[in-house]
């Protein structure tokens, strides 16, 4: 059974409608787009009016924290009603909850027809056919991807020529697109489920990535974000080594090649692990004019003892060294980070180390999370689990400090002129165009002209932590 075979039940009839809901990280957005590409090649099209009229509802799920998992379960409950009204409706659950829970999730939610983990995406059309033929729920999880190497059904299914035709989940051409370059993670930070839900690192071939980016740029993309849980280790699996070579290795080489592509204006990547962050990578921000002037470099904690318990493999001092490399190359670079509060055993003193790090680095923005215990991870078994009330209190203190830093940074931007790449027009307020500076700040301007995809100088007039307002400079 291959992905190119058209569904015999529907080949002669109308196209089936698929409605996709995506939670979690950008990896999931990229995975949803790939699943849509596979479905489009198998007689499906995106439902224009949501879940109500869909033949297939695909939930692409996130498992990173318990709250994310709860959302999936409550959404499945709501979909039960739709399924009662339309017994032909198919429900597929993809993503990290599917991988982590497997068959157990179907026992809890028997309305699921297809359960498919992130390592089995290419099997989606075949699984749907199997479910339709047998009426039984089907499950595919795990990370056995040998079939994908020898016979990449996804690539064949979506294209007759050597280009990967990956549509956007919005169904429209998009100015900014994500391209997956590496799956999985080998790091096993003690709090994190990702190595369990997405498996070990597997890099995509460089030429395949370049073709996908070329296709997206030809179809209107101006900004590309290369994606992975750990982009810095791109290509190490292909080379058979564990550490990044001193010259920056395959990731720096890939970025340099992607940056050459004509029509591409901005290049970004996420997520970068400080452990594998090299000096040549920092240099690239200065030498490649297309590189965004922003990096997301998760530190998680400002305490060396906590970092050690998290098994992050870098110290605070090493993290600061990397920030220095970046700021030496591009003094105005915006740096964002992820922080976890209430990791098992975190003392008040250790928590305050994180506050001190924030004041020392002055992040442009942060994503701060309360530690969430994940079954199967090492930290779930650690002594000294922290109470919810302490986590909430620490999260609030941390966010309050960041709010002050952000407000100062925003005030400092007012009056400056920045190049803004416009990515969409507000649906609610037509004439309001939303774009981003190279430093990843969101900017809104009022214009009757179509600014989509253009990079234009904008004078920033005011702003808050969400977005800045500005005027086009003629
Ligand atoms: N609890 C809280 N936050 C977590 N993250 C990952 N796992 C957990 C967890 N168990 C956060 C980290 C990571 C981001 C994607 O999610 O900060 O960088
Ligand atoms: Fe999770 Fe650590 Fe891998 Fe990031 S580097 S995905 S936090 S295990």
């Amino acid at each position: 059974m291959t992905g190119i075979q058209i569904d015999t039940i529907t080949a002669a009839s109308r196209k089936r409608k698929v409605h996709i809901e995506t939670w979690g990280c950008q990896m999931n957005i990229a995975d949803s787009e790939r699943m849509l590409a596979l479905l489009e090649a198998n007689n499906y099209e995106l439902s224009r009016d949501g879940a109500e009229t869909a033949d297939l509802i695909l939930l692409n799920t996130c498992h990173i924290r318990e709250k994310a998992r709860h959302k999936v379960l409550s959404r499945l409950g709501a979909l039960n009603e739709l399924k009662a009204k339309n017994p032909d409706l198919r429900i597929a659950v993809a993503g990290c909850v599917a991988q982590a829970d497997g068959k157990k999730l179907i026992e809890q939610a028997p309305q699921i027809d297809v359960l498919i983990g992130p390592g089995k995406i290419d099997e989606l059309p075949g699984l749907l056919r199997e479910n339709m033929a047998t009426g039984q729920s089907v499950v595919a999880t795990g990370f056995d991807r040998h079939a994908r190497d020898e016979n990449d059904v996804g690539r064949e299914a979506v294209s007759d020529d050597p280009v990967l035709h990956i549509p956007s989940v919005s169904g429209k051409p998009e100015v900014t697109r994500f391209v997956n370059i590496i799956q999985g993670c080998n790091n096993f930070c003690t709090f994190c489920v990702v190595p369990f839900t997405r498996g070990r690192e597997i890099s995509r071939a460089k030429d395949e990535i370049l073709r996908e980016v070329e296709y997206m740029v030809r179809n209107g993309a101006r900004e590309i974000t290369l994606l992975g849980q750990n982009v810095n280790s791109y290509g190490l699996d292909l080379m058979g080594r564990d550490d990044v070579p001193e010259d920056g290795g395959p990731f720096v080489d890939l970025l340099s090649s992607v940056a050459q592509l004509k029509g591409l204006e901005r290049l970004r990547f996420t997520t970068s692990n400080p452990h594998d962050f090299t000096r040549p990578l920092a240099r690239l921000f200065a030498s490649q004019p297309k590189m965004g002037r922003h990096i997301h470099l998760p530190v998680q904690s400002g305490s060396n003892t906590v970092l050690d318990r998290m098994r992050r493999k870098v110290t605070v001092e090493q993290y600061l060294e990397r920030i220095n490399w970046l700021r030496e190359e591009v003094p105005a670079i915006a740096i964002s980070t992820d922080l976890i509060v209430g990791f098992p055993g975190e003392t008040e003193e250790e928590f305050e180390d994180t506050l001190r790090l924030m004041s020392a680095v002055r992040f442009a923005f942060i994503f701060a999370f309360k530690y969430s215990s994940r079954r199967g991870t090492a930290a779930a078994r650690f002594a000294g689990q922290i109470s919810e009330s302490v986590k909430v209190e620490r999260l609030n203190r941390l966010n309050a400090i960041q709010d002050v830093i952000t407000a100062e940074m925003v005030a400092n931007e007012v009056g400056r002129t920045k190049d803004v790449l416009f990515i969409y027009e507000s649906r609610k307020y037509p004439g309001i165009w939303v774009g981003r500076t190279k430093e990843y700040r969101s900017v809104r301007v009022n214009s009757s002209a179509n600014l989509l995809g253009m990079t234009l100088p904008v004078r920033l007039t005011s702003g808050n932590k969400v977005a800045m307002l500005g005027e086009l400079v003629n």
Side-chain angles (χ1 to χ4, degrees), residues 373-390:
S373 174
R374 311 310 287 129
R375 198 157 27 94
T377 60
R381 297 185 296 274
F382 286 0
Q385 300 285 328
I386 304 288
S387 72
E388 180 66 14
S389 60
V390 171

Side-chain angles (χ1 to χ4, degrees), residues 185-189 191-195 229-230 273 300 312:
C185 181
N186 292 352
N187 281 326
F188 290 92
C189 300
F191 53 81
C192 186
V193 282
V194 165
Q229 305 297 342
N230 187 11
N273 189 314
Q300 314 296 357
R312 288 292 288 176

Side-chain angles (χ1 to χ4, degrees), residues 31 89 101 103 107 165 175 177-178 194 223 252 269 275 281-282 294 311 329 356 363 447:
D31 283 352
L89 171 67
D101 286 19
K103 283 200 180 87
E107 283 161 24
H165 293 107
V175 172
R177 297 288 305 268
F178 299 116
V194 165
E223 174 180 84
V252 168
F269 57 82
H275 176 251
L281 182 53
H294 161 244
R311 209 188 291 139
E329 297 296 337
R356 280 186 274 275
F363 295 105
S447 170

Side-chain angles (χ1 to χ4, degrees), residues 64-65 191-192 298 300 338-340 369-372 374:
I64 195 95
R65 287 169 292 274
F191 53 81
C192 186
Q300 314 296 357
D338 291 340
L339 295 165
I340 295 178
F369 308 102
K370 289 178 286 173
Y371 169 72
S372 168
R374 311 310 287 129

